[in-house]
Amino acid sequence: MSRKKKFGEREKVDTINTGKYRLGALAFLIIAVAMSRYKSFNLIGGILGGMDKPLPKSPILPTLDQWAPSLEDIEAAGTLHPSDIPPLPVFGDYSNETVIINGRFLQVAEGRVDHKGLLGGAAERAQSYFSVIPEFATPAEVEQILAILNDPDAVQFDEDPDTVDGMASHELYVDTVDFERGGRVTSSLKRDSTKEGMEERKEIRSKLKAIMDNVQDRLTQYVRFTYPSSPSLTPCYSLVRRYRSGERQTHDVHRDWNAKVTAVVSLSEYGEEYRGGLYVARSRSERMVVALGRGDTLVHDTSLLHGVKVEDDGPSSTRWSWIIWFRDSEKCADNSKEWFKDCPPDDAVCLSMYADSGAGGDKVEMIRLHHEAAKMGLSTSMVKLARAYLNQLPSHLPLDLKKAADLYREAAARANEPDAIYGLAQLTLQGFVRQRDDTKMGHLLQEVAALLERAANANHQYAMFNLGVMHRYGYAAAWGGEKDAKLAAEWFENSGLPEGYYAASTYYSSIGDNERSKKLMSRAKRMGYGTEWRKRARIAVGSGGAGGVDINMAWPPFFQTGVVPDKF
Ligand SMILES: O=C(O)CCC(=O)C(=O)O
Ligand SMILES: [Fe+2]
């Protein structure tokens, strides 16, 4: 399959060490060494009245009896703080080479990402590749693009729900195949969905295109050369995204379903204008930042898991990116349903992608494919299956909590899969997953806390949010901890979710820090808090495009007061 070609047909000329991309390796080591974070603490349960109540049992579902985090896990897990989560390591394992395209020499750093947790032959197949071309867009081109984007009169960016995370997108389509076909974009919440919106953006589009078209032509040559089995690769979508303080700074882990090949041109300088940024991922938990400077361009195919996390360094930190999605059709036809149709039987990632693309509309086949991929160790397929067994995703599978819990456990063990760990926290809170004959509420809540901390540590935004809930309402008191509204606010803010900014804002107003409260409230609103679309989009996309997951956990009424946390 072409997507697995390791740039094999490329003409190799020389190996050049592009300093910056080598330096990454050292940074990775330093950060990896600094990764220990949990403090130990004592297990003290049952100090509050009412805590010896039996576990809450679901009126519908039986209590399962087979899994909980090990006692060692729980004992090792002290109170995690957002500041304990290390910044993402920087990817550094490049091989550098020079390629010649139409007589032009290009230095290219090539990276390989091995999917995590796969077994035997499947592991051999489970790689994605990407390339970074330093300053593919020249400093002058980037300057000109930025001058247009930074113009105070520049039109506003879209605030419709993003298809990956359901938060305000903060993007601007420069060109799409939809425009060319005379139609407007499909989402009715995009500014371009109205004639006036299209008109309003006409000028900025033509200014941007005047510079971008040339870069795009060069890029087309490069991607056709790099993916020779797709000779008709054509740029079909071009958009600019913005990440800055007071708005979106994350874009959860995902694949670009809309593109056979993607190019991301960074318009900002790593280390100077922003930290963090675009990352590539071995699993949803293991993410590595690609340190992109101005004009540096990352090229990858559909299989690469990736996302964005810009560190919140205050107003001075902004990252702009320009994204081009290529399709394998000069007319930009959507062939995506065909891309993963003929997977080799031991290619778990390919099978799961075909399942995720709808498996030709065959729902039973979708489940079968995820089963196959899960058997080979693919944690994301285990999560999909678990949610199907929980009837959170539509499928023919019967409700089976034991299977769901086993799949979550396996995914957690194989790839530290944050969605699986969060899923286990949900099941545990509902009293469905236990192995000890321990029926004390305090111990159950402690297990939930340990799971949420593990998931949060692997950057699960809903887990971070629920650590906020846990500390705000004082559930830690169940095992000797205390209510900690400040820590709660830190978790809420750190979740990067509009609901989190809102909840943090209420804390700061409660302690009289109105300025901070106002800032957070405005951020929450800018990202969609309180809108009808945000709620709908959040449920539709779930966590990182994997539907069937809820931000609201089944927190029991608080021991003495009977207070139940607000639902968001
Ligand atoms: O902003 C970026 O660098 C990447 C954004 C992205 O992955 C996307 O829009 O699909
Ligand atoms: Fe993407």
Side-chain angles (χ1 to χ4, degrees):
M1 291 211 27
S2 63
R3 71 189 184 85
K4 297 280 151 119
K5 277 228 162 89
K6 191 192 170 284
F7 305 98
E9 285 107 333
R10 159 177 308 183
E11 184 184 354
K12 280 198 185 185
V13 178
D14 195 2
T15 297
I16 289 183
N17 189 342
T18 56
K20 179 168 174 188
Y21 294 102
R22 285 280 179 208
L23 268 179
L26 188 63
F28 177 80
L29 267 180
I30 293 167
I31 289 162
V33 169
M35 291 231 324
S36 72
R37 55 196 77 85
Y38 290 110
K39 297 157 224 149
S40 65
F41 77 29
N42 294 324
L43 196 123
I44 314 165
I47 52 158
L48 284 182
M51 260 182 351
D52 288 344
K53 275 184 201 156
L55 294 169
K57 283 202 179 127
S58 155
I60 314 162
L61 304 169
T63 300
L64 276 188
D65 190 22
Q66 71 209 300
W67 193 82
S70 71
L71 273 177
E72 295 82 68
D73 259 11
I74 292 183
E75 277 166 17
T79 301
L80 187 75
H81 293 247
S83 56
D84 295 330
I85 301 177
L88 299 179
V90 177
F91 187 93
D93 190 15
Y94 294 98
S95 60
N96 298 299
E97 55 184 82
T98 302
V99 299
I100 308 173
I101 300 174
N102 288 350
R104 186 170 177 235
F105 280 71
L106 285 181
Q107 271 187 27
V108 180
E110 290 178 353
R112 177 181 130 176
V113 180
D114 295 347
H115 288 264
K116 193 168 171 171
L118 284 134
L119 300 157
E124 300 295 308
R125 281 207 175 266
Q127 288 93 29
S128 295
Y129 296 91
F130 65 93
S131 49
V132 179
I133 317 148
E135 294 195 356
F136 189 87
T138 64
E141 284 164 336
V142 174
E143 279 293 338
Q144 290 171 57
I145 293 171
L146 284 173
I148 298 165
L149 294 172
N150 279 318
D151 178 341
D153 297 330
V155 256
Q156 289 195 345
F157 273 36
D158 279 326
E159 288 176 352
D160 62 319
D162 184 88
T163 50
V164 168
D165 55 27
M167 309 194 295
S169 63
H170 297 144
E171 68 190 6
L172 167 75
Y173 274 87
V174 180
D175 205 356
T176 85
V177 54
D178 307 327
F179 297 160
E180 270 163 32
R181 288 180 183 147
R184 296 188 288 272
V185 290
T186 39
S187 163
S188 61
L189 289 161
K190 280 218 172 292
R191 287 172 184 268
D192 304 313
S193 62
T194 62
K195 256 195 174 147
E196 300 73 52
M198 284 296 283
E199 199 52 42
E200 179 195 44
R201 289 160 162 219
K202 215 167 155 183
E203 192 184 331
I204 192 169
R205 284 201 170 103
S206 76
K207 279 190 194 161
L208 285 170
K209 270 166 72 63
I211 306 150
M212 289 176 164
D213 279 355
N214 191 288
V215 184
Q216 210 162 280
D217 287 348
R218 292 177 347 238
L219 263 173
T220 305
Q221 288 180 359
Y222 175 77
V223 300
R224 287 184 178 180
F225 175 80
T226 304
Y227 300 91
S229 56
S230 300
S232 51
L233 283 170
T234 301
C236 298
Y237 294 85
S238 160
L239 60 146
V240 175
R241 298 186 69 108
R242 182 180 65 203
Y243 305 84
R244 65 183 182 191
S245 187
E247 295 184 353
R248 155 195 295 283
Q249 282 182 310
T250 60
H251 197 215
D252 208 359
V253 194
H254 67 281
R255 294 194 165 97
D256 291 346
W257 289 103
N258 211 10
K260 183 88 177 159
V261 171
T262 296
V264 177
V265 183
S266 177
L267 302 173
S268 306
E269 185 68 24
Y270 174 84
E272 283 177 27
E273 291 168 302
Y274 71 98
R275 289 186 308 131
L278 183 63
Y279 58 77
V280 297
R282 291 191 59 208
S283 67
R284 297 179 60 80
S285 62
E286 205 173 310
R287 313 169 183 195
M288 295 159 285
V289 161
V290 182
L292 295 176
R294 283 193 177 196
D296 295 354
T297 299
L298 185 146
V299 175
H300 65 86
D301 68 8
T302 326
S303 73
L304 184 80
L305 273 175
H306 65 281
V308 175
K309 183 168 192 259
V310 173
E311 300 298 328
D312 196 349
D313 292 331
S316 65
S317 144
T318 299
R319 174 176 181 267
W320 300 86
S321 58
W322 168 31
I323 297 131
I324 302 118
W325 288 325
F326 292 83
R327 281 185 170 168
D328 54 344
S329 151
E330 293 197 6
K331 295 203 156 71
C332 290
D334 180 2
N335 299 328
S336 58
K337 301 272 178 274
E338 310 291 311
W339 290 341
F340 306 100
K341 222 168 117 185
D342 303 308
C343 304
D346 62 345
D347 190 337
V349 174
C350 181
L351 294 173
S352 77
M353 290 181 73
Y354 188 50
D356 285 342
S357 78
D362 182 343
K363 290 220 161 68
V364 177
E365 179 65 359
M366 261 166 90
I367 295 292
R368 190 191 69 80
L369 291 163
H370 277 312
H371 260 297
E372 287 304 307
K375 273 198 298 202
M376 289 181 249
L378 193 66
S379 58
T380 43
S381 281
M382 293 174 198
V383 169
K384 288 271 159 70
L385 285 177
R387 289 183 186 164
Y389 278 120
L390 292 170
N391 291 355
Q392 290 169 343
L393 292 175
S395 86
H396 63 289
L397 295 178
L399 184 71
D400 191 329
L401 289 159
K402 179 176 178 338
K403 284 208 169 104
D406 282 349
L407 284 156
Y408 276 155
R409 184 182 56 176
E410 179 75 12
R414 295 211 69 77
N416 198 32
E417 173 59 58
D419 275 330
I421 303 168
Y422 184 75
L424 281 169
Q426 286 177 304
L427 288 179
T428 306
L429 196 50
Q430 291 162 54
F432 300 143
V433 188
R434 277 180 297 128
Q435 67 185 5
R436 294 186 294 282
D437 59 355
D438 177 348
T439 52
K440 302 278 192 296
M441 176 84 87
H443 290 179
L444 174 128
L445 288 168
Q446 194 176 15
E447 287 181 7
V448 172
L451 288 164
L452 288 177
E453 289 185 341
R454 252 182 86 182
N457 201 45
N459 282 295
H460 197 282
Q461 292 175 291
Y462 287 10
M464 294 184 195
F465 181 85
N466 276 286
L467 284 174
V469 173
M470 191 183 91
H471 290 297
R472 167 172 287 188
Y473 288 86
Y475 288 100
W479 63 94
E482 283 172 13
K483 209 164 168 167
D484 192 337
K486 182 168 178 296
L487 179 56
E490 284 173 25
W491 277 118
F492 283 135
E493 184 169 356
N494 215 69
S495 74
L497 297 168
E499 295 77 9
Y501 293 124
Y502 167 79
S505 154
T506 59
Y507 166 72
Y508 288 105
S509 73
S510 80
I511 60 160
D513 188 343
N514 292 331
E515 198 183 319
R516 182 139 189 198
S517 169
K518 251 166 89 186
K519 269 194 188 144
L520 285 159
M521 185 63 82
S522 121
R523 184 168 200 175
K525 288 189 176 152
R526 285 191 71 84
M527 292 176 61
Y529 181 78
T531 62
E532 265 314 302
W533 62 255
R534 165 64 187 159
K535 263 202 180 146
R536 278 201 305 272
R538 198 184 76 203
I539 289 157
V541 300
S543 156
V549 59
D550 193 2
I551 194 176
N552 294 306
M553 293 182 71
W555 291 103
F558 192 69
F559 323 110
Q560 291 152 318
T561 56
V563 173
V564 185
D566 294 335
K567 293 262 184 270
F568 283 83

